[in-house]
Amino acid sequence: MRTHPRLTSDASLADFVVDVANVVRERTLGGDRGADLGRFLALLDGLVAFTGDATTQVYAVCDRSLLSDGRLTREERQTLAEWHRAGLLSVWDVADHRIIEAAEATRAQVVTYDGFVDFHRRHPWLYGNRDRFVEPYPGPGGAVSVRRRIMPEPDDWQMSRKEEESALLAAGMYDRRDGTGPRTALLLRRWRCPEPDCAAFGPAARGALPRRQGRTGRVVCPEHLRELTDLGPRPRQMQLKVRVDGTVRHRFLLTEGQDLVVGRHPRAEPGERLAPWLPERSPSLEWISRDHVLLRISGGNLLVSDVSSNGTWLRLPDGQTHRVPPGAFRSVGRRHVVLLHDTVQLEVSGKSFLYEERAEGEPPPRPRPETEGESQQPTMLAPSGPRPAGSRGKRPGRGGRRRR
Ligand SMILES: [Zn+2]
């Protein structure tokens, strides 16, 4: 079964929702054919360049007509069909609804040229939106780049916008700040489809975004349109990113109730091995212990414990660093960074907000400020020897941030 490392069937892990047909059929992106899958593949590279994150994840959605588009080569149509069977391509008679649904549920950004003007009335967050949409454009040498786009503000709609917002707010259907609505709740539970081979909700599936039918309120499999069984809350998970020399190289999931050892080559099971992501002959290979840190989710918080020989530091949002005392657990906040070496750090992914507990009546948490597009210059933290005593709380250099 053909897969692609940038595609995910789990919308909750996606950084981007991509309108695949929209991109594949865009002639300005290069190629002579009216439809060319190469444009989408080039876009995936463009998204990695845009975010500076080599592990960028995409939830791909397309119209059914694309699967039989005669302007694609036979091999391209086969690739799309295989992605579809593997659950990596979400196929719809009309993809627009699903794209907006997925964007609402996950806060992922949307890659499209479409203005979704017909949807503004039901989804007021679309109106004039400035931070949730990007569009591809041709880059040098056949590459595809992306840039932010501002959604249109249809005139005839503007007049009634405030009334509409108020009505939706009253109905609990609208979060004024970013439009993430009750669909997120569907992502926080486990669902089972009666179809045994269902790629999205079968026994082997990890998780996906079901569809709630408007009229009946039933929760159904978007592929088979059969009612899903609710298997209860999904275990709380956090996604962590491994940033090496300023670039995200790897991401992994931490699940509540399953402590995880992270290190160069952990002996323990389950363990997260960092060696494959460290450059050859890098000092970090010597510095980072086989078992370096133990990670745990407890009460909705991420905890870290240092089990290494050389030490672990926590960098706070204000730039201060603190050593994690060996053997003790320290809480890792939303914008904290766990430093295993000055060039190797662990960060909580912005996607993890989905699993944050919300008290009754409390507003949803703010999403993490957009930092994905920035590569962070490593700090000057203990590059070749133990950190000198008395340096606790000293600010590492914060200059040298650059756009990639
Ligand atoms: Zn199904």
Side-chain angles (χ1 to χ4, degrees), residues 119-371:
F119 290 78
H120 285 223
R121 191 171 289 278
R122 272 177 51 215
H123 307 277
W125 63 276
L126 292 170
Y127 179 91
N129 187 287
R130 292 172 171 272
D131 54 15
R132 294 290 301 283
F133 290 83
V134 295
E135 66 182 5
Y137 68 96
V144 169
S145 305
V146 291
R147 60 190 165 206
R148 295 207 178 281
R149 61 180 297 232
I150 299 172
M151 293 303 271
E153 304 183 354
D155 285 344
D156 58 340
W157 195 76
Q158 196 162 10
M159 297 301 289
S160 60
R161 182 182 182 211
K162 285 293 162 204
E163 303 166 19
E164 198 80 22
E165 260 185 32
S166 320
L168 287 163
L169 278 167
M173 293 293 288
Y174 176 46
D175 170 3
R176 193 195 299 273
R177 289 175 299 193
D178 55 21
T180 298
R183 289 199 174 89
T184 304
L186 296 179
L187 275 173
L188 299 182
R189 306 190 72 78
R190 288 164 59 234
W191 304 93
R192 177 64 48 82
C193 177
E195 292 288 332
D197 296 331
C198 182
F201 301 100
R206 241 192 40 74
L209 176 60
R211 163 161 281 195
R212 192 190 295 280
Q213 286 184 330
R215 285 185 304 279
T216 62
R218 291 192 319 155
V219 177
V220 299
C221 171
E223 180 67 27
H224 301 108
L225 298 178
R226 299 188 59 181
E227 187 158 7
L228 295 171
T229 307
D230 184 349
L231 300 182
R234 210 168 146 176
R236 194 191 305 269
Q237 288 180 312
M238 287 187 181
Q239 190 180 37
L240 282 98
K241 296 184 176 184
V242 181
R243 195 182 287 271
V244 180
D245 286 329
T247 301
V248 177
R249 294 287 174 206
H250 179 55
R251 53 176 89 180
F252 60 88
L253 279 174
L254 177 66
T255 303
E256 183 158 34
Q258 294 174 29
D259 291 0
L260 187 67
V261 175
V262 181
R264 181 166 40 81
H265 196 147
R267 282 163 280 238
E269 276 292 328
E272 192 63 35
R273 224 176 122 218
L274 297 182
W277 316 107
L278 305 177
E280 269 181 69
R281 288 188 291 280
S282 159
S284 60
L285 276 168
E286 300 276 317
W287 180 266
I288 294 177
S289 299
R290 285 190 69 172
D291 297 342
H292 201 103
V293 288
L294 177 69
L295 300 177
R296 169 180 296 173
I297 298 178
S298 175
N301 295 311
L302 172 63
L303 302 179
V304 61
S305 172
D306 175 43
V307 294
S308 73
S309 311
N310 289 324
T312 300
W313 280 261
L314 205 53
R315 188 167 70 222
L316 310 184
D318 65 4
Q320 288 195 51
T321 57
H322 296 278
R323 183 162 186 173
V324 179
F329 277 98
R330 283 287 178 269
S331 180
V332 182
R334 156 80 51 233
R335 287 158 62 219
H336 294 186
V337 169
V338 178
L339 294 151
L340 310 186
H341 176 257
D342 66 330
T343 61
V344 181
Q345 60 193 46
L346 307 179
E347 303 165 15
V348 181
S349 162
K351 307 306 297 177
S352 304
F353 65 83
L354 286 176
Y355 302 99
E356 283 173 0
E357 203 138 38
R358 291 182 201 169
E360 199 67 30
E362 192 188 329
R366 297 287 297 157
R368 174 181 165 170
E370 193 56 52
T371 56

Side-chain angles (χ1 to χ4, degrees), residues 6 16 42-58 144 146 247-249 372-373 404:
R6 299 281 68 74
F16 295 94
L43 166 72
L44 296 177
D45 293 338
L47 291 173
V48 167
F50 181 68
T51 56
D53 180 345
T55 65
T56 298
Q57 294 288 286
V58 163
V144 169
V146 291
T247 301
V248 177
R249 294 287 174 206
E372 304 293 298
R404 186 161 282 262

